[in-house]
Amino acid sequence: MNEKILQVEKLQTEFTKDKQKIKILHDVSFHINKGEILGLVGESGCGKSLTSLSIMRLFKGTSGEIAGGRIEFDGEDLTTLTESQMRKIRGKKMAMIFQEPMTSLNPVMRIGEQLMEPVRLHLGLKDKQAKKHVISILTKVGIPRPEEIFNEYPHQLSGGMRQRIMIAMAMSCHPNLLIADEPTTALDVTIQAQILDLMQQLQQQEDMSILLITHDLGVVAEMCDRVVVMYAGKVVEEASVYELFENPKHPYSKGLIGSVPKIGQKKDKLDSIKGNVPDPSNMPIGCKFAPRCKEAMPICFEKEPTSTRLENNRLCSCWHYDKGRGKLHV
Ligand SMILES: Nc1ncnc2c1ncn2[C@@H]1O[C@H](COP(=O)(O)OP(=O)(O)OP(=O)(O)O)[C@@H](O)[C@H]1O
Ligand SMILES: [Mg+2]
């Protein structure tokens, strides 16, 4: 039996706009096992980043709040913790890497100083020891001339190097869970491959778990053990990487996999999904994917399907697999 590091259960997150609450995450449930890389995929706007921000409780400056559900991490329900309790977890037991490193690095602070902050705070190391620790982490993430880079500013580095610095910062206190939100999207393909390699290596060395958020199914195929597919703020399918690619069950997953170009395939022959993700303030009744679904049946426009467990522990939320379908049709 796999041990779970994170269990998200029926998570609901909403924003307030013009005094109206708009629910974005609708009962999102999934788990991550210890030492596993879980992929979270879905089109832009489906709620991937919001899921990670909800786990980290990073809503500062927005009206975002958790309206329901549980986030169990390391034996505690994070939704019940105070901000100061969360601060002890963030950066220590759980760390995050964002897509664009410049938004997370302080441009007017030397790299070394920025990296020393969490090390001082969470590991309690003093100046000399903290510096030694930081230099060793910089070396570990493949930064050349770490002693010199220590005294440089973020703008003096290339995009790939900055992303390595972000990884170093995230890894500096040896977290049990790393959340990586599109960590390589802004990088060119060769650098992207190096960063992914580095993350994979560190994951194995540290026996860490990773939640890898990406819209790139190639990255998922290469990196992940299992995948959660989200659509319009809901989990529609969960399966091992192999099974998802080999035999996707949900029509949305089939569409996502069908939209990946294969060598020699003409662009107009791509089996892409027509239409757009619905507006969160105007969600369709029934299955949220029904208006775009090639396999939709009348019931799909009337009632939401529930998540059904299928063979090999996979989950799918679609009327084609929902056992209650027969009853509802009479
Ligand atoms: N601060 C905010 N205020 C109001 N709505 C927000 C806010 N942040 C996100 N949303 C809404 O939440 C939904 C999910 O956004 P999220 O950023 O999680 O999508 P995503 O899946 O990460 O997309 P992408 O692939 O483009 O990064 C979107 O409809 C977005 O408009
Ligand atoms: Mg995002």
Side-chain angles (χ1 to χ4, degrees), residues 48-49 99 181-182 213:
K48 304 181 297 295
S49 294
Q99 177 172 346
D181 190 356
E182 306 273 8
I213 297 176

Side-chain angles (χ1 to χ4, degrees), residues 158-202:
S158 67
M161 281 298 151
R162 283 202 284 258
Q163 199 55 301
R164 280 177 197 264
I165 300 289
M166 283 303 301
I167 295 176
M169 198 179 288
M171 298 300 298
S172 61
C173 301
H174 308 288
N176 306 116
L177 175 65
L178 177 69
I179 300 179
D181 190 356
E182 306 273 8
T184 57
T185 312
L187 305 172
D188 66 52
V189 278
T190 46
I191 309 291
Q192 172 168 350
Q194 290 173 10
I195 297 287
L196 293 174
D197 268 356
L198 171 67
M199 283 176 55
Q200 218 158 16
Q201 265 175 38
L202 293 171

Side-chain angles (χ1 to χ4, degrees), residues 238-250:
E238 184 199 307
S240 72
V241 167
Y242 177 78
E243 288 185 87
L244 187 81
F245 282 87
E246 198 60 18
N247 180 16
K249 299 278 190 193
H250 198 286

Side-chain angles (χ1 to χ4, degrees), residues 56 87 89-95 118 122 169-170 172-173 175:
M56 295 286 271
R87 234 176 279 139
I89 292 179
R90 273 187 225 122
K92 184 162 194 301
K93 290 183 179 176
M94 198 192 265
H122 294 304
M169 198 179 288
S172 61
C173 301

